[in-house]
């Protein structure tokens, strides 16, 4: 496969297959950072179906890297116009270029030398890509949990809470299964039998955490007085991040179960692998949508509280900014939480409106109104003075005229 780059995209990631040199040049030319999959991955994919007999020693010379799809890396898929299959949801193609350069064109190969020409190979490759995407999210959630205050770990380990303690027990079982998978390279019937009962406990904990977030949102919605609103906002600031952590851990464990499931299906019923992968993808998106609806509702209530507090900042110069600050903290926490799970979040934090700024605004309006009043008074005074002067002039003229007439009459009498 000289100077050929085989591309597979499932919407979450992009797998680049070719000679080590060609793959490296392609990634560098496109500015993509990747995760090397190693020869073990290629042997696993190539061991599916009859592709080994078809491709022969070419497989051993191949290199493969996986790239997480972001807005930037997704442009590569669009740039090369990969062909999407409505059945599998995969986009595939072969980039050919001089000396491994990425300036060639896309072919849609189906010959014996292409890994993309075998449906079983594609299904297996897609399954592994799905696992890689979920493991990437799991790693990001681990980093997220590590940055949160220690009190969250106390919540996660609270044995007096049945829902949380059940999740902790499921976590131990799943971690053990993942360790065995890493060592053995597959998920046996025995390993799966230990882990397959855990999803129920995880789902129950997820529902519990979502209800706690909904309760915080409802409490914010029910408060009208700024004092009560400040207390509710402070509670939301304190508790929301803890429940984000619980939800993140649930999602992480659910992804781990999905990784185990795909390995088990590959081992027990490989012909169902592609359908199972698509089912997992739909179920995973449904979980994300459920979490998104609950957290966005909380964001909406926090933003509404911030707006109400800003409107009354002059009357409550201390409590109003506190409401806005708590709101911003919660909204920022939601944005970070969404980012770790891959949920797009477009809401922004409210900006605290300082008492001085609000006071200055009122002052300016008062001055403007006062200036208009003074101008009107001055105009009125001038008009009144003018009218008074006119009247005075008329009176003076009348008196002078009468005086002249009187003198004239007296002179005639003499």
């Amino acid at each position: 496969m000289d100077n050929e780059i085989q591309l597979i995209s499932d919407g979450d990631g992009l797998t680049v297959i070719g000679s080590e040199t060609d793959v490296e040049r392609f990634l560098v030319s496109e500015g993509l950072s990747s995760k090397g999959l190693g020869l073990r991955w290629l042997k696993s994919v190539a061991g599916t179906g009859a592709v080994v007999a078809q491709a022969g020693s070419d497989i051993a010379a191949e290199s493969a890297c996986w790239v997480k799809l972001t807005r930037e890396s997704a442009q590569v898929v669009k740039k090369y116009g990969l062909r999407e299959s409505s059945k599998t949801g995969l986009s595939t193609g072969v980039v050919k270029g001089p000396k491994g350069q990425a300036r060639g064109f896309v072919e849609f190969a189906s010959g014996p030398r292409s890994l993309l020409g075998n449906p079983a190979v594609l299904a297996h490759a897609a399954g592994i890509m799905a696992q890689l995407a979920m493991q990437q999210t799991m790693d990001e959630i681990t980093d997220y949990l590590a940055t949160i205050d220690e009190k969250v770990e106390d919540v996660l380990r609270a044995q007096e809470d049945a829902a949380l303690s059940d999740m902790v027990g499921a976590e131990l079982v799943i971690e053990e299964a993942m360790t065995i998978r890493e060592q053995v390279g597959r998920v046996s019937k025995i390993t799966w039998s230990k882990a397959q009962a855990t999803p129920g406990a995880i789902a129950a904990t997820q529902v519990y955490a979502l209800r706690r977030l909904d309760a915080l949102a409802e409490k914010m919605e029910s408060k009208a007085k700024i004092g009560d609103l400040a207390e509710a906002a402070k509670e939301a600031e304190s508790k929301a991040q803890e429940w984000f952590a619980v939800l993140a851990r649930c999602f992480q464990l659910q992804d781990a179960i999905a990784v185990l499931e795909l390995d088990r299906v590959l081992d027990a019923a490989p012909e169902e692998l592609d359908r199972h992968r698509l089912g997992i993808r739909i179920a995973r998106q449904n979980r994300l949508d459920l979490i998104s609806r609950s957290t966005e509702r909380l964001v909406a209530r926090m933003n509404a509280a911030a707006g109400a507090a800003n409107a009354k900042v002059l009357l409550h110069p201390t409590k109003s900014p506190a409401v806005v600050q708590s709101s911003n903290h919660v909204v920022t926490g939601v944005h970070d939480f969404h980012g770790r799970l891959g949920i797009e979040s477009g809401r922004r934090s409210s900006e605290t409106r300082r008492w001085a700024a609000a006071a200055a605004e009122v002052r300016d309006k008062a001055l403007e109104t006062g200036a208009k009043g003074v101008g009107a008074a001055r105009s009125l005074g001038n008009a009144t003075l003018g009218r008074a002067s006119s009247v005075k002039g008329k009176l003076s003229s009348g008196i002078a005229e009468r005086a002249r007439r009187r003198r004239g009459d007296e002179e005639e009498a003499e």
Side-chain angles (χ1 to χ4, degrees), residues 220 225-234 237 301-310 318-329 352:
M220 293 294 299
K225 296 181 179 179
I226 292 297
D228 295 337
L229 202 58
E231 291 181 6
K234 190 65 178 177
E237 179 183 3
R301 295 314 312 157
M302 299 307 296
N303 282 338
N310 273 335
T318 301
K319 292 182 178 180
S320 288
V323 172
V324 178
Q325 184 177 5
S326 295
S327 173
N328 287 344
H329 190 276
T352 305

Side-chain angles (χ1 to χ4, degrees), residues 194-362:
K194 296 177 182 179
Q196 64 180 348
T198 57
I202 300 170
T205 304
Q206 176 184 301
V207 171
Y208 183 83
L210 288 172
R211 286 177 177 173
R212 300 285 72 75
L213 287 179
D214 288 343
L216 292 175
E218 289 171 2
K219 194 169 185 178
M220 293 294 299
E221 191 172 6
S222 65
K223 303 301 180 183
K225 296 181 179 179
I226 292 297
D228 295 337
L229 202 58
E231 291 181 6
K234 190 65 178 177
E235 181 183 0
E237 179 183 3
S238 173
K239 297 295 183 182
Q241 192 173 54
E242 297 178 6
W243 296 118
F244 296 158
V246 174
L247 288 172
R249 184 62 63 86
C250 287
F251 198 82
Q252 185 183 47
L253 294 176
Q254 288 164 332
D255 271 357
I257 283 290
V259 168
L260 296 170
E261 275 187 34
L262 288 172
D263 269 1
R264 184 59 195 148
V265 172
L266 176 63
D267 195 52
E271 70 280 0
E272 297 179 2
L273 180 60
D274 211 45
R275 292 193 298 274
H276 200 85
R277 173 185 65 83
L278 293 174
I280 284 177
R281 185 184 182 90
I282 293 171
R284 189 175 189 268
Q285 186 59 52
N286 288 341
R287 291 199 305 273
L288 288 173
D289 291 342
L290 182 64
I291 293 172
S292 180
R293 285 195 296 270
S294 183
T295 51
E296 288 291 353
R297 181 189 177 196
L298 179 61
V299 166
R301 295 314 312 157
M302 299 307 296
N303 282 338
N310 273 335
K312 300 179 180 180
V313 67
L314 286 177
L315 298 176
H316 305 276
T318 301
K319 292 182 178 180
S320 288
V323 172
V324 178
Q325 184 177 5
S326 295
S327 173
N328 287 344
H329 190 276
V330 172
V331 173
T332 300
V334 170
H335 181 75
D336 188 21
F337 172 61
H338 281 185
R340 305 291 181 155
L341 269 60
I343 300 173
E344 292 189 2
S345 180
R347 292 187 181 272
R348 297 180 179 179
S349 300
S350 300
E351 183 178 356
T352 305
R353 185 182 181 186
R354 297 184 183 277
W355 184 91
E361 181 181 338
V362 173

Side-chain angles (χ1 to χ4, degrees), residues 18-291:
S19 71
E20 184 175 356
T21 301
D22 290 340
V23 168
E24 183 178 355
R25 286 176 177 172
F26 177 83
L27 294 172
V28 170
S29 67
E30 296 296 340
L32 301 176
S33 58
S34 65
K35 178 185 295 185
L37 302 182
L39 186 59
R40 177 180 174 183
W41 182 84
L42 282 168
K43 287 182 176 178
S44 176
V45 173
T48 307
V51 75
V52 174
Q54 295 173 346
S57 61
D58 288 336
I59 296 299
E62 295 298 295
S63 175
C65 289
W66 179 82
V67 179
K68 179 183 178 180
L69 281 189
T70 61
R71 289 183 179 178
E72 292 75 20
S73 56
Q75 293 300 315
V76 175
V77 177
K78 184 177 181 181
K79 172 182 177 181
Y80 289 104
L82 304 185
R83 177 181 293 170
E84 182 178 356
S85 168
S86 58
K87 182 178 180 181
T88 65
L90 299 176
S91 299
T92 60
V94 178
V95 178
K96 302 184 69 174
K99 297 182 180 180
Q101 298 298 318
R103 299 176 181 176
F105 54 91
V106 171
E107 291 185 346
F108 304 100
S110 59
R113 301 186 69 193
S114 172
L115 296 178
L116 310 184
N118 189 299
V121 170
L122 277 180
H124 192 172
I128 294 176
M129 290 172 66
Q131 290 175 319
L132 288 169
M134 289 185 288
Q135 287 174 318
Q136 177 76 19
T137 301
M138 290 164 61
D139 290 342
E140 292 178 2
I141 290 175
T142 297
D143 294 339
Y144 168 70
L145 294 175
T147 63
I148 297 179
D149 194 78
E150 293 179 357
K151 66 181 180 179
V152 175
E153 191 65 21
D154 296 335
V155 173
L156 295 175
R157 300 289 176 180
Q159 295 299 321
E160 69 274 7
D161 195 313
L164 295 178
S165 62
D166 286 347
M167 186 197 71
V168 172
E171 176 185 359
L172 296 176
V173 173
I174 293 171
E175 288 180 350
E176 178 182 331
M178 292 293 285
T179 300
I180 296 173
R181 170 185 180 267
E182 185 65 25
Q183 294 298 317
V184 178
R186 58 185 287 265
V187 176
S188 67
K189 185 176 180 180
I190 295 175
T191 301
W192 178 242
S193 66
K194 296 177 182 179
Q196 64 180 348
T198 57
I202 300 170
T205 304
Q206 176 184 301
V207 171
Y208 183 83
L210 288 172
R211 286 177 177 173
R212 300 285 72 75
L213 287 179
D214 288 343
L216 292 175
E218 289 171 2
K219 194 169 185 178
M220 293 294 299
E221 191 172 6
S222 65
K223 303 301 180 183
K225 296 181 179 179
I226 292 297
D228 295 337
L229 202 58
E231 291 181 6
K234 190 65 178 177
E235 181 183 0
E237 179 183 3
S238 173
K239 297 295 183 182
Q241 192 173 54
E242 297 178 6
W243 296 118
F244 296 158
V246 174
L247 288 172
R249 184 62 63 86
C250 287
F251 198 82
Q252 185 183 47
L253 294 176
Q254 288 164 332
D255 271 357
I257 283 290
V259 168
L260 296 170
E261 275 187 34
L262 288 172
D263 269 1
R264 184 59 195 148
V265 172
L266 176 63
D267 195 52
E271 70 280 0
E272 297 179 2
L273 180 60
D274 211 45
R275 292 193 298 274
H276 200 85
R277 173 185 65 83
L278 293 174
I280 284 177
R281 185 184 182 90
I282 293 171
R284 189 175 189 268
Q285 186 59 52
N286 288 341
R287 291 199 305 273
L288 288 173
D289 291 342
L290 182 64
I291 293 172

